[in-house]
Amino acid sequence: MDIFSLSIEMLKKYRLCDNCLGRQFAQLLTSTSNKQRGKSIRYVCAMYVDTQKEFYDDNNNFTDFNFNNVKIKFSNEKKKCFLCFEIFTKVEEIAQNVLRILEGYEYNTYLVGVILKPEMIRNEEIFWEEFGTEFSERLKEELSREIGKKIHELTGKNVDFRNSDITILIDLRKNSITKNVRSLYVYGRYNKYKPMPQTKWVCSFCHGVGCDKCSYKGKKYDYSVEELIGDVLLRYSKGTGTSFHGAGREDVDALCYGWREFIIEIEEPKIRSLNLSEVEREINNRYKGYIEVRDLKVVDGKEVKRLKAKRDNKIYEAVVECEEELTKGDIEEINKIKDLVINQQTPKRVEHRRADKIRRRKIFYVKVLNHRDKEATLEIKAEAGTYIKEFVNGDEGRTRPSISSLIGKRCDVKELIVKGFEPEERQ
Ligand SMILES: [Zn+2]
Ligand SMILES: [Zn+2]
């Protein structure tokens, strides 16, 4: 059947607005809108009706109800379109409501999604059952596109299908509009000069609610690397929360002088264009002596995965204390350590968070930097994932060999500093 006859049949049976009529032929003449398509088809159909004099009575009124339907836009009847219930007349109003919800949020790109009323979906199915054409488009698609176009008109911002700053969901069933603000990911490197956990350590007794064990703070430590950095970033971005992803982590009491990489995720930021050199300055001034950051930049969220997968070898400086005085022989023995493979069973102290198993790790070298009496300062280069404290003290035999077992004297780590990160060598 040709477009013309098909349209006449559609319009004789159902009331359709211009958008819904045009949408049945959406893939024809690509450079126009469904509304324009529908309007053109309706004009031609209406002109055709005017040639059918037998449908008029003496007073020039239609006698055929069905044909009256074809001319719907030329009559004053206030009935609704069978497919969209006249939703296209509300596009501007919906777009305005969306903008009200986005007020205060900085964004460059957006995406609009629509959930139709079940009656709309059902009617489209009924209609297509009868008049399905190969050129049609779904109501849902046109409606979200038209609202998107209107928002562009009103704001000058652009739709982005892949990675929009804000996603808007218009639910016609509930008559609601919700937004999803994409997180902002800030990459950087940090040094840590005072003992603190890397991420917020929620109190294990009250799970953050607050109890006498945690002095009603809800956390075990007053601050963490995450909170110090996040605090400033949240103030600048007006976000609602953060999550912190480090390229590995050091123990609470271990320090870091080697600029560990991190990505901090800011949830629901209102401001996306941050002056990161200003943020950096503020963090470094405010938390001088605690932490320091550098190289802050906004990155794609996918970078988190890359960072997490990183397995850099690490260089440590460890101050070690022995139960007895260190002899020349002990120092020589320690300095001899080179490319040593050790077996580490999951340390007792982390057993509750890590699977209990034996890991093979490589110690590239140990150098004694200086020593006096029972104390020595060591530089240790170790494979990613090595437990350094246990490599020194042997963890009651769970790490073999260890510095303690090699020299036959019990030693323990007094201070531990991560001095550097070296990418894993590829072979
Ligand atoms: Zn319609
Ligand atoms: Zn508590």
Side-chain angles (χ1 to χ4, degrees), residues 205-242:
F205 296 99
C206 64
H207 302 284
V209 178
C211 63
D212 31 337
K213 290 264 201 299
C214 62
S215 318
Y216 296 92
K217 286 175 198 139
K219 50 190 181 179
K220 195 171 168 189
Y221 294 90
D222 282 348
Y223 49 84
S224 59
V225 176
E226 169 179 20
E227 287 160 282
L228 299 188
I229 298 172
D231 167 55
V232 176
L233 273 169
L234 281 181
R235 216 154 8 86
Y236 276 80
S237 63
K238 301 193 168 122
T240 54
T242 58

Side-chain angles (χ1 to χ4, degrees), residues 183-197:
S183 291
L184 193 63
Y185 296 86
V186 175
Y187 165 94
R189 291 168 174 272
Y190 77 82
N191 272 355
K192 181 178 119 186
Y193 305 126
K194 284 241 191 327
M196 68 179 92

Side-chain angles (χ1 to χ4, degrees), residues 114-135:
V114 170
I115 298 178
L116 299 177
K117 290 183 182 174
E119 307 91 274
M120 290 170 163
I121 297 168
R122 194 198 57 214
N123 282 8
E124 190 168 66
E125 274 163 15
I126 293 170
F127 187 82
W128 280 2
E129 190 84 5
E130 210 168 338
F131 296 113
T133 80
E134 54 190 306
F135 310 114

